[in-house]
Every structure is written in structure tokens, then in C-alpha cells.
Amino acid sequence: MQSLQYGSMANIDILRFLIGFVMLSYGSWSDLKTRRVPNLVWIYGGILGSVLLIYELSTIWEDYGLYLWALLFATFTLFFNSFVDEYILDKNQAMLWKSSQYLAILCSIYFFFNFDSDDISKNNYQLLDFISIPFLMILMYIWFYFGPTIGGADVKAIMAISLITPFSITFTDDSLTAFDDRGFPYPFVIFMNSLLIYLFIPICLAIFNIIKGNIESPFFQIFFGTKMELNRAKESFVWPMQQVVGKRVVMVAFVKHKSDSDKDWNRLEDEGIDYPWVTLKIPYIIPLALSFVITAFFGDIFSSNIVQPLNSLFS
């Protein structure tokens, strides 16, 4: 019986991985080619993840209580709330959605007043995995509205991942974890690993520029961009790192993404700059997709290579 259950869970892990892999692969391709990702990519991924989550919850909820179903409903509402504003709802649909939001608030209150703290340690702290899903979604809302530059598609991708892979997935026996018994909630591990991968982009750009011989003063730009033929740059998803100020061509450390690039390109052309320095519009979904695959095979690389070494310095 145990082997049958293990096989069933392993099959679900494979299914979750395939759903996430297909979703992020298509999202990365679409974002790279058009800088747009259809909402349906994340909606379909979130729905499939939700169905699997409901199935798994139906097998364990009695270990906790009805409050876990309440948390799940509030979580689903939080996810789909990120899409509703982009669609036109008729009067009945708007009323139904508003009712769902009120019900989600009541479910959240029910959860906070009914969950037992002793349940947290059950099933290897699985309750933390459930709680981490809406927590990560709220964090993404905050990051999108108040934090560093991040696209709406990036936020929706991370939120969809939290539904598709809420529990740890590993295809190897020596997967890295932050702690001995278990690691951080799996969606957070994917997110943290993606940040680590993103940090490698400047290093890769520097190596590329050194190989190409693109080494010019003040040198910092080799970590954030490369040189590109002007006409090609105009048609590519890049921003100019060089700008004309007065009668001088200067290198800018921080590119204003909302600036009028067309005027900047024309000014550079007037100054005879045929190969300007440009910074690439690299979609965050690409390192996120890489992280999704790497995490499934290698585990929590971020904590093992950054958090633990730093912690050892102060222990």
C-alpha cells in the first residue's frame, strides 16, 4: 500500500513538473520574442495546479480540519484576482466575483481563528507549504506595486508556480536542502534560485564582451550590456546605455526604461555612433524557467551556496 501511494505521489510530481515546464518554456519563448505573454498561459497553468492541489488536499485534510479548505479557497481567489482587472465583466459576473472576494476574506478569518499551531509539525511541516502559497502571492503583489522593476507576467508566473509545485519535487537522491529534515517551501526555493541565476547574467555578459574585445572605459558597462550595430539595436529589445548630453556622448549607469529610446537612437546616429553600447531586455521568466528545472534536480542552490556560508561566518 505504501509503495502504491509513493508511486502515485511520484506520478503527481512528474505531472506537476511537466505542467510547469511547458508553461514556463512557452512563457519564456513568448516573452523573448514579443515581450508579451498571454494571460491564458498562467491561467491554464494555475487551474491545472489547483486541480492537483485539490486532489492532494482531499487525501490529507482530515489530518488538519476544514480550515485548510478555507485557506485554499482564499488562495485561489488571490491568484485569479491578478487577472480579473484585465477583463470586462458584466454585471452578474462582477457581482459573482465580488461575492467570491468577500467569501475569501471570511475564509481567511476562519483559517486564522481555527487552525491549531500543533498541526504545523504534522506530515513534515506540510501546513507551512500550504501557508507559503498565499504568502508568496502577497509578496508578489507587494513587489509588483512597490518594489524593484518587475513585469506583470513575471509576477503571474511565480504565482502560478506556487500552485503548480507547492510541495518539494526532487528527481535525485542528493538534492540540496536548507535544513536537515526539509527545506524552505518549494516555490520560495525556485524563486530564490532564479535570483541566483539572474546574478550570473552580468558575469556572462562580461565574459562575452572580453571575448569580443568590447572593453572600453569606464568598463562597468561590460557587466550590463554589449555593443550592437545601431540599426539592429533599433529593431531589437534593447535600451541604449549611451546617451547624448549636450554635445557629449556619455555612458549611463542606470538606464531609464521608460525613456524615449527612438530619440536616443537618433541622437546617437547624428553623433556618428554606429555601434552603441546597449543593455538587453532579458525577460525574468527565462532565469525563472531555468530555476524551475535546476531546482527539481539539484535543490536549494541559493541556501546551500549563499545562506549557509554566510550563516557559518556568524555562528
Side-chain angles (χ1 to χ4, degrees):
M1 185 67 175
Q2 288 181 345
S3 61
L4 180 63
Q5 184 178 9
Y6 175 80
S8 175
M9 296 307 293
N11 290 335
I12 289 180
D13 287 346
I14 294 173
L15 183 57
R16 287 186 180 280
F17 178 80
L18 291 176
I19 292 171
F21 178 76
V22 171
M23 179 190 74
L24 290 172
S25 296
Y26 179 80
S28 298
W29 176 84
S30 179
D31 207 355
L32 185 63
K33 292 295 184 180
T34 67
R35 292 307 185 272
R36 294 287 187 275
V37 183
N39 276 336
L40 289 178
V41 174
W42 317 124
I43 291 175
Y44 287 150
I47 289 175
L48 292 174
S50 299
V51 171
L52 292 177
L53 193 55
I54 290 172
Y55 168 74
E56 292 190 72
L57 181 59
S58 67
T59 64
I60 64 170
W61 74 271
E62 291 181 347
D63 293 340
Y64 301 95
L66 288 174
Y67 67 79
L68 204 52
W69 286 110
L71 176 65
L72 204 61
F73 180 83
T75 299
F76 293 158
T77 305
L78 192 62
F79 172 73
F80 289 107
N81 185 70
S82 63
F83 302 95
V84 169
D85 291 341
E86 300 181 32
Y87 295 92
I88 299 176
L89 303 179
D90 60 33
K91 184 177 180 180
N92 292 332
Q93 291 172 332
M95 185 178 299
L96 178 61
W97 177 246
K98 185 170 290 187
S99 300
S100 299
Q101 290 177 312
Y102 287 137
L103 182 58
I105 294 173
L106 293 176
C107 286
S108 300
I109 296 173
Y110 178 82
F111 169 79
F112 282 113
F113 281 96
N114 286 274
F115 96 97
D116 189 346
S117 59
D118 293 334
D119 291 343
I120 293 179
S121 60
K122 290 181 179 179
N123 299 323
N124 196 20
Y125 296 90
Q126 193 172 35
L127 183 58
L128 290 179
D129 294 322
F130 283 101
I131 296 175
S132 71
I133 303 173
F135 183 80
L136 180 58
M137 290 184 182
I138 293 172
L139 182 63
M140 289 300 102
Y141 275 106
I142 295 173
W143 192 14
F144 178 72
Y145 286 109
F146 305 106
T149 301
I150 186 172
D154 305 327
V155 168
K156 294 169 184 175
I158 296 172
M159 293 170 69
I161 286 174
S162 68
L163 291 175
I164 296 171
T165 54
F167 312 121
S168 180
I169 293 177
T170 178
F171 296 127
T172 59
D173 295 330
D174 53 354
S175 181
L176 300 172
T177 58
F179 313 105
D180 293 335
D181 296 332
R182 59 159 292 156
F184 288 110
Y186 194 71
F188 277 89
V189 175
I190 296 174
F191 176 55
M192 292 187 296
N193 281 348
S194 71
L195 297 179
L196 184 61
I197 293 172
Y198 205 80
L199 291 176
F200 276 98
I201 294 177
I203 298 175
C204 294
L205 282 172
I207 295 173
F208 174 81
N209 285 317
I210 292 173
I211 294 174
K212 289 290 186 178
N214 298 331
I215 304 176
E216 300 175 1
S217 177
F219 304 114
F220 74 85
Q221 73 275 9
I222 69 172
F223 294 97
F224 303 104
T226 188
K227 299 189 75 171
M228 183 179 291
E229 197 272 327
L230 183 62
N231 290 328
R232 181 187 171 195
K234 289 181 179 181
E235 304 299 325
S236 303
F237 293 109
V238 297
W239 288 293
M241 293 184 70
Q242 290 176 291
Q243 294 181 5
V244 178
V245 179
K247 293 185 178 181
R248 297 176 56 221
V249 178
V250 299
M251 193 77 66
V252 293
F254 299 100
V255 178
K256 295 181 179 179
H257 296 172
K258 295 183 180 180
S259 64
D260 191 341
S261 296
D262 291 337
K263 290 183 179 180
D264 292 332
W265 297 129
N266 293 334
R267 289 169 183 166
L268 289 171
E269 188 174 18
D270 293 339
E271 293 295 324
I273 305 297
D274 297 324
Y275 284 84
W277 280 90
V278 300
T279 183
L280 310 177
K281 300 178 183 179
I282 301 176
Y284 174 70
I285 296 176
I286 293 178
L288 187 63
L290 292 174
S291 173
F292 184 83
V293 176
I294 291 173
T295 304
F297 288 91
F298 299 100
D300 192 350
I301 299 175
F302 182 90
S303 297
S304 299
N305 292 276
I306 294 182
V307 177
Q308 289 182 357
L310 289 176
N311 185 50
S312 63
L313 293 176
F314 300 98
S315 60

